[in-house]
């Protein structure tokens, strides 16, 4: 049975729940290879590892770049609960990951986090960042059907 974008995003949302349960901010990302296999899962580790670059997507891209070749990664898709921020988009770009699929857009995340010091969200879509580069990274999202589910993991976290 072939999994859909929604199936992979639901797994990323599960990873975001694990992240919150482990004392981190509620974000999760997974990496899927060209054959549809989940090859990496990553929760946010910013709080527990005291690492300002510990976002799920950046941490996943860093791990992936150590484990896989750039050619392999170009055929992969990173699935994430929220649209990648500027830092994460840069890590995806430099890591050579060829596609990104996200559940909720960054504007929704900004409404959830407000002016919380832990997550001073940019109002800068990842498509705009990728468009300034030399790689044609495919971006799919947001998924309205899963945006509320992804946002629900944040309920009560930022207040």
């Amino acid at each position: 049975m072939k999994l859909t974008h929604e199936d992979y995003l639901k797994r990323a949302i599960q990873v975001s729940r694990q992240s919150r349960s482990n004392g981190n901010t509620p974000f999760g990302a997974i990496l899927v290879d060209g054959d549809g296999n989940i090859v990496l899962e990553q929760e946010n580790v910013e709080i527990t590892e005291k690492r300002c670059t510990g976002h799920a997507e950046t941490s996943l891209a860093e791990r992936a770049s150590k484990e896989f070749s750039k050619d392999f990664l170009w055929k992969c898709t990173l699935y994430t609960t929220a649209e990648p921020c500027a830092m994460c988009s840069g890590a995806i770009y430099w890591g050579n990951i060829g596609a990104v699929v996200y559940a909720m857009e960054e504007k929704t995340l900004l409404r959830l986090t407000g002016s919380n010091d832990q997550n001073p969200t940019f109002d800068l879509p990842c498509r705009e960042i990728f468009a300034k580069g030399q790689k044609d990274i495919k971006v799919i999202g947001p998924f309205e059907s899963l945006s509320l589910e992804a946002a629900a993991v944040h309920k009560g976290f930022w207040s």
Side-chain angles (χ1 to χ4, degrees):
M1 175 177 85
K2 184 171 169 70
L3 297 178
T4 65
H5 290 312
E6 289 88 348
D7 294 325
Y8 293 120
L9 286 171
K10 286 179 182 180
R11 179 62 198 146
I13 293 168
Q14 289 174 341
V15 173
S16 75
R17 287 187 192 105
Q18 292 170 356
S19 182
R20 184 171 178 170
S21 293
N22 289 332
N24 285 301
T25 51
F27 298 96
I30 65 170
L31 187 68
V32 176
D33 70 14
D35 294 325
N37 302 303
I38 297 174
V39 294
L40 288 176
E41 295 185 347
Q42 181 66 54
E43 61 186 56
N44 187 297
V45 294
E46 186 177 2
I47 295 172
T48 56
E49 293 186 10
K50 296 179 181 162
R51 202 164 37 115
C52 67
T53 59
H55 292 191
E57 302 91 338
T58 294
S59 298
L60 185 142
E62 183 178 352
R63 285 179 56 209
S65 71
K66 292 177 181 178
E67 294 184 33
F68 304 109
S69 72
K70 284 190 176 261
D71 288 338
F72 177 84
L73 290 172
W74 186 249
K75 297 172 189 152
C76 290
T77 302
L78 186 149
Y79 288 85
T80 182
T81 54
E83 182 175 5
C85 72
M87 175 183 67
C88 293
S89 296
I92 291 163
Y93 179 87
W94 291 112
N96 210 49
I97 297 169
V100 174
V101 179
Y102 63 89
M104 76 174 154
E105 65 184 344
E106 196 163 19
K107 286 184 182 297
T108 302
L109 179 62
L110 181 58
R111 286 193 297 274
L112 292 170
T113 62
S115 61
N116 188 289
D117 289 343
Q118 179 66 34
N119 197 50
T121 303
F122 281 98
D123 182 10
L124 182 59
C126 68
R127 284 178 174 87
E128 289 183 30
I129 296 168
F130 294 140
K132 301 292 184 184
Q134 298 177 24
K135 299 176 184 181
D136 187 21
I137 296 173
K138 184 176 182 179
V139 179
I140 301 170
F143 276 73
E144 295 304 320
S145 61
L146 292 171
S147 184
L148 290 176
E149 187 176 341
V153 185
H154 293 260
K155 188 174 181 175
F157 187 87
W158 303 104
S159 52

